[in-house]
Every structure is written in C-alpha cells, then in structure tokens.
C-alpha cells in the first residue's frame, strides 16, 4: 500500500475530530509565529549592544523575551495536549473496530492466521500507529510552519542570504526520500517478524506439555532463536537508517552555516549588513534547524506508523466467508431431523479433505455418537453443524432448511455445545 493510500485509510477516523485537529493546527501556527517573534527580537538587542543605542530600546527588547516565552509555553502545552488527545482517541476507535471486526470474521480466518501475529498487530502495531498519529502531525505542521516563518523572516532581513539557506531544502528532501523507503520496508518486515516471535511464544506456552512430552525443547528453542535473530537484523536496518538521518541533516546544515558565516562576515566588514541583521539571520537558521532535524526523525516515525497501519488494515479488510442471508429463515421445529447431503469439506490452506462425500440423517430424539481416529472428521461435523464453516460441496439441512438460509445467531441459540 502506498503512503497516500495508507493516509486515506486513516482519514475517516480523523474526520469526526476535524474540529479539534483544526484547533491544534491553529495553536501550532501560533507557536511557529512566536518562534519568529523571538528571533526578530534579536535584531534590536544586537544593534543596541554594538552601537550603544538608546537604553530604553534595549530594555523594551529584553522585556519582550520572557513575554514571548510565556505565551509560547501556553500554546506549546495546548498543542501537545490536543495532539495527544487525537492520537489516543483515534487509536481507541481503531482498536475498537479491530476487536469488533475480529468477532465478525468467520472461523477460517482464525484457522489460517497465527494467533501471535494477530496479537502483535493488536499491540505492537497499534503502539507504533498511536505514536505516529500523536507526533507526526505535531512535527509536520508545527515544524513546517516554523521553517516557513523563519524563511519569511530571513527573506525580509536579507534576500541573498535567504537564497543560500534555501539550498538546503532540496538536499534535505532527497535525503528524506531515500531514507523513507528504507525505513518503511525494514519497519514493516520487523513488525512481521515480531508477529512470528509472538506466535512462537504463544505456541510454546500453550503447548508446553506437548513440547516436553516429545523432547522438542531444542527444536522449539532453535526456531525461536532463528526468528529472534532475523528480528534483530531487520530492526538494525531500521535503526541504521534512523541514526543516519540526524547526522546527515546536521552535515548538510553545517555547509549552509559555513556559507552564511563567510558571506555575513564579508558583508559586515564591507558595511553592507548590520550586526543585528546578521544576528537575526543566524537566529532564524538555528531556530529552523531543530525543526528540520525533527522532520528527519519524524520520517522514521511516519514510515513505521504507515507500515503498522498497513498490517492493521489487512485485518479490517478481511471478509467473513460465512455470509448471513439477507432474509434469514427461522430455526424449524426439528420434526424431520438433520440431514448431511454429500458433504465435503477441507480447512483453509489444507489440501487433504477433512470430510469427503458424507451423507447421513439424524432423526429427532436419536442419540448419535461419532467414533474414529484423530483427524477423521468428528470435530469437523460439529463445526459444520454450528455453521462455523460452510461445506465446500453438498449441504446440511434441518427439517429441509439449508443452514446457509438461517441466521447463524438463531442456529447457535438452539444448539447446545459441550466442548
């Protein structure tokens, strides 16, 4: 699934909360503007220090600093709270949909799926998605707005220097694009392997009696170590890309800073720029540098969240194979009995038939017992009678009514099961 497709799948969950999201966006815009105001204060302060200007001007500029930071504190807290609320609420709704959908799915899904892998999607993937929902918009909107505000201030201060700083944007975009593909691929594979590890733990814990009875401890440990080792290597690929993004962005930034300092020193020496303008410019670049690094780190969080979203939506995309009829018939009075008519069935992913061309009739009041070796189809007959699965061939009827024409809920209310 592409990045755009994954994000579109998340939009229906965001839509009911768009009001709160717009509030968060507005607050983040104010935070970005306050960052710009903080840097702009540097100009008068620097010029006052260098030129021994009016003391009152210096005092006013100095008083603005705690005032700007006070408002920034309020809005910074508000934006963090709003985005945390959105991340938690959307994750709660997706988790609720997942749990509900699992109860709608037919038994063949649970037959072909590994329990540990499903559990991994419900835990690890949900945690990664929640982190993405909480922090990615925060960094993407607030930090992008901060960078834009800093660029505007730089353009207003000195257009030539601003154009030098703009050179870092295409370089940064190229780096993030290449690393993003690696991060998503390794993140997705890492989550898949973690699902295998969860399954191995669950299999051993639930089947420890069988493992010990057949002296299979070494085989079980060997399989686990192989999967654990693969998870280590996959996650190291992810962390290598994550660890590279920050220092690489720093190196690109250092090249731009070196160019700005060299050009600024010459401009001040030639009288073409005031020290205050140069201080504002450097302040803008350093203020924008933190958000640029955050965007690089955000890319890692985003790619892992999208890989996790793909795995979560793979469950939500599953369709039940036992389909309820549009106009279900009621459970009959059971006056004629239960009839299996040339019923054949095999479990999902299996080539061997569990039942093949079975026909039998059970009369009302009759007591019937099925005997046979393990795997002969005894339990399968009960599964089909409860309509946990539908026959591949043939049909099962009660008083002539096909089970597929009845409501499964109505059917199971009338059938008592002792496991």
């Amino acid at each position: 699934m592409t990045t755009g497709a994954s994000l579109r799948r998340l939009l229906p969950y965001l839509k009911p909360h768009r009001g709160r999201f717009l509030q968060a966006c507005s607050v983040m815009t104010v935070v970005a503007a306050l960052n710009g105001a903080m840097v702009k204060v540097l100009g008068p302060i620097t010029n006052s220090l260098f030129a021994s200007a009016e003391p009152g001007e210096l005092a006013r500029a100095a008083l603005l600093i705690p005032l700007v930071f006070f408002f920034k504190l309020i809005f910074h807290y508000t934006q963090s709270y709003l985005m945390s609320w959105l991340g938690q609420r959307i994750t709660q709704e997706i988790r609720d949909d997942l749990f509900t959908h699992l109860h709608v799915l037919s038994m063949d899904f649970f037959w072909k799926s590994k329990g540990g892998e499903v559990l991994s999607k419900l835990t690890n993937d949900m945690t990664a998605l929640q982190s993405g929902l909480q922090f990615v918009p925060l960094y993407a909107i607030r930090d992008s707005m901060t960078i834009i505000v800093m660029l505007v201030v730089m353009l207003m201060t000195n257009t030539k220097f601003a154009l030098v700083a703009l050179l870092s944007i295409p370089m940064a975009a190229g780096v993030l694009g290449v690393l993003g593909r690696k991060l998503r691929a390794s993140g997705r594979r890492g989550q898949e392997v973690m699902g295998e590890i969860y399954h191995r733990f669950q299999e051993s814990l639930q089947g420890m009696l069988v493992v010990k009875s057949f002296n299979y401890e070494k085989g079980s440990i060997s399989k686990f170590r192989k999967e654990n080792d693969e998870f280590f290597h996959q996650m190291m690929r992810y962390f290598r890309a994550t660890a590279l993004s920050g220092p690489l962005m720093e190196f690109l930034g250092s090249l731009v800073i070196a160019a700005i300092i060299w050009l600024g020193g010459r401009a001040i020496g030639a009288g073409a720029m005031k020290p205050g303008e140069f201080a504002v410019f450097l302040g803008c670049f350093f203020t924008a540098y933190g958000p640029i690094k955050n965007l690089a780190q955000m890319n890692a969080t985003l790619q892992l969240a999208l890989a996790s979203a793909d795995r979560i939506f793979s469950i939500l995309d599953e369709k039940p194979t036992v389909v309820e009829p549009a106009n279900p018939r009621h459970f009959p009075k059971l006056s004629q009995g239960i009839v299996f008519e040339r019923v054949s069935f095999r479990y999902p992913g299996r080539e061997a038939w569990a039942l093949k061309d079975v026909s039998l009739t059970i009369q009302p009041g009759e007591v019937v017992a099925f005997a046979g070796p393990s795997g002969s189809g005894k339990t399968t007959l009960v599964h089909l009678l409860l309509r946990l699965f539908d026959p591949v061939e043939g049909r099962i009827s009660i008083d002539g009514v096909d089970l597929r024409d009845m409501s499964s809920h109505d059917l199971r209310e009338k059938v008592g099961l002792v496991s």
Side-chain angles (χ1 to χ4, degrees):
M1 193 180 290
T2 62
T3 299
S6 299
L7 292 173
R8 282 193 295 273
R9 292 294 302 271
L10 290 168
L11 282 178
Y13 290 97
L14 177 61
K15 196 173 180 180
H17 310 296
R18 57 185 178 273
R20 184 153 290 206
F21 181 68
L22 290 173
Q23 289 176 359
C25 291
S26 301
V27 173
M28 285 186 267
T29 303
V30 174
V31 171
L34 289 171
N35 286 331
M38 186 63 249
V39 174
K40 197 65 179 171
V41 171
L42 286 175
I45 293 175
T46 307
N47 285 331
S48 298
L49 289 172
F50 276 85
S52 299
E54 188 76 30
E57 183 182 351
L58 181 61
R60 282 192 300 274
L63 286 171
L64 278 174
I65 294 175
L67 187 63
V68 170
F69 268 96
F70 175 75
F71 283 108
K72 187 179 173 183
L73 179 153
I74 295 172
F75 286 102
H76 199 284
Y77 166 79
T78 306
Q79 70 173 14
S80 298
Y81 173 81
L82 289 173
M83 289 312 304
S84 297
W85 188 94
L86 281 168
Q88 290 286 343
R89 177 63 75 190
I90 292 173
T91 307
Q92 177 194 17
E93 291 171 359
I94 294 174
R95 192 184 296 115
D96 187 87
D97 284 354
L98 267 175
F99 192 79
T100 303
H101 190 67
L102 284 170
H103 286 74
V104 172
L105 291 176
S106 307
M107 282 303 299
D108 61 338
F109 170 79
F110 302 97
W111 183 269
K112 67 185 180 183
S113 301
K114 296 175 180 176
E117 185 177 349
V118 174
L119 185 61
S120 175
K121 291 177 182 180
L122 292 170
T123 52
N124 279 8
D125 286 302
M126 285 302 301
T127 301
L129 180 58
Q130 179 183 321
S131 180
L133 289 168
Q134 184 172 336
F135 294 110
V136 169
L138 185 65
Y139 293 148
I141 297 169
R142 181 196 64 192
D143 292 343
S144 296
M145 290 297 298
T146 299
I147 292 168
I148 291 169
V149 168
M150 293 303 115
L151 287 173
V152 170
V153 174
M154 284 192 282
L155 286 167
M156 291 169 59
T157 304
N158 191 303
T159 306
K160 179 182 176 182
F161 276 48
L163 293 175
V164 174
L166 283 171
L167 291 174
S168 62
I169 293 178
M171 292 189 294
V175 170
L176 293 177
V178 172
L179 291 176
R181 288 191 293 273
K182 293 182 179 295
L183 287 166
R184 188 167 184 183
S186 56
R188 182 189 291 112
R189 181 57 190 152
Q191 296 292 67
E192 289 172 358
V193 178
M194 177 52 73
E196 294 288 338
I197 291 174
Y198 265 64
H199 174 68
R200 192 66 59 199
F201 266 112
Q202 185 184 46
E203 189 179 59
S204 289
L205 290 172
Q206 292 181 347
M208 192 59 73
L209 176 64
V210 177
V211 170
K212 289 188 173 294
S213 298
F214 288 90
N215 285 329
Y216 191 63
E217 291 94 337
K218 287 185 178 179
S220 181
I221 292 168
S222 176
K223 283 185 177 181
F224 173 79
R225 284 177 176 168
K226 183 179 178 181
E227 288 157 358
N228 203 24
D229 191 54
E230 186 182 355
F231 177 72
F232 170 80
H233 290 297
Q234 287 297 333
M235 292 313 295
M236 286 312 299
R237 288 182 61 192
Y238 174 82
F239 289 127
R240 277 199 298 270
T242 306
L244 182 61
S245 60
L248 202 53
M249 296 297 291
E250 285 185 0
F251 176 70
L252 294 175
S254 71
L255 296 178
V256 178
I257 291 171
I260 290 171
I261 291 174
W262 184 71
L263 291 171
R266 293 186 62 186
I268 292 172
M273 178 183 275
K274 293 180 180 179
E277 290 178 338
F278 185 67
V280 169
F281 202 89
L282 269 184
C284 282
F285 189 82
F286 280 111
T287 302
Y289 179 68
I292 290 172
K293 274 191 71 176
N294 284 344
L295 290 177
Q297 297 297 326
M298 178 208 75
N299 194 39
T301 305
L302 172 65
Q303 297 305 326
L304 183 59
L306 290 177
S308 295
D310 291 347
R311 283 165 48 80
I312 290 166
F313 286 126
S314 71
I315 295 181
L316 292 173
D317 288 338
E318 289 281 347
K319 304 294 182 187
T321 54
V322 175
V323 182
E324 293 296 309
N327 299 301
R329 297 178 63 178
H330 292 293
F331 191 88
K333 294 182 178 179
L334 197 58
S335 59
Q336 301 171 32
I338 302 167
V339 179
F340 285 71
E341 300 175 49
R342 307 197 68 177
V343 170
S344 297
F345 178 77
R346 60 183 164 200
Y347 288 98
R350 296 282 181 88
E351 293 185 6
W353 291 94
L355 296 173
K356 183 64 176 173
D357 201 25
V358 174
S359 295
L360 63 97
T361 301
I362 303 173
Q363 299 293 338
E366 188 176 7
V367 178
V368 177
F370 297 99
S374 178
S376 61
K378 305 183 298 297
T379 304
T380 303
L381 286 168
V382 179
H383 286 168
L384 294 173
L385 185 58
L386 284 166
R387 208 185 168 215
L388 299 175
F389 302 91
D390 282 332
V392 177
E393 298 172 5
R395 75 172 197 144
I396 304 169
S397 60
I398 298 177
D399 284 6
V401 180
D402 195 315
L403 296 190
R404 283 171 284 210
D405 295 330
M406 295 184 199
S407 160
S408 297
H409 180 77
D410 190 27
L411 169 67
R412 291 165 197 162
E413 271 196 334
K414 303 297 191 297
V415 178
L417 173 70
V418 180
S419 63

